[in-house]
Structure formats: C-alpha cells, structure tokens
Amino acid sequence: MPEQQQETLTGPVPGLRRRVWCRGVGCHHELTDPESRRRGYGPVCDPDYRTTTPDHHVDQDAIPGL
C-alpha cells in the first residue's frame, strides 16, 4: 500500500486574511478595524490617540487689547 503524505503548508490559506493581534502590553485582542490592523494597536491601547470625529473647536472671545 502506498503511503499518503500531506502536502506541507508554506503560507497562509488562500482567500483568508492574516489574523493581527494588538501589540499593547497585556492586551491580546484580535484587531478587525483596518486602521487598527495597519497600526498594530487597538483603539484603547494606541499610544497616538486618534479619534474618528473631526477636531472639536470651541468659540472663544478675542483677548482685549490685541
């Protein structure tokens, strides 16, 4: 009887995305957001805090005398 050998896997399975995990200290969550996957950190662990909303501007009165 001939022996059957399984072909060796040399890379990721075609058609599936590579799983990416958060690099934060003690955080082991899988990253699903494209921006988080690119940066390597989840929104909570990201050292460069980013927001998804535009900058918040507060109306201020002009300084008297200027």
Side-chain angles (χ1 to χ4, degrees):
M1 244 195 302
E3 243 181 78
Q4 291 182 355
Q5 286 189 328
Q6 183 177 2
E7 190 176 317
T8 339
L9 295 176
T10 56
V13 179
L16 295 178
R17 288 192 323 186
R18 183 175 62 93
R19 296 174 82 178
V20 178
W21 304 96
C22 182
R23 295 186 300 172
V25 178
C27 182
H28 302 290
H29 291 99
E30 184 175 359
L31 302 176
T32 55
D33 177 47
E35 180 69 14
S36 295
R37 290 174 59 85
R38 186 181 67 76
R39 295 175 63 91
Y41 290 101
V44 175
C45 300
D46 196 348
D48 297 331
Y49 179 72
R50 64 183 195 276
T51 61
T52 56
T53 59
D55 293 338
H56 179 73
H57 295 286
V58 177
D59 292 332
Q60 296 180 350
D61 294 333
I63 299 175
L66 290 180

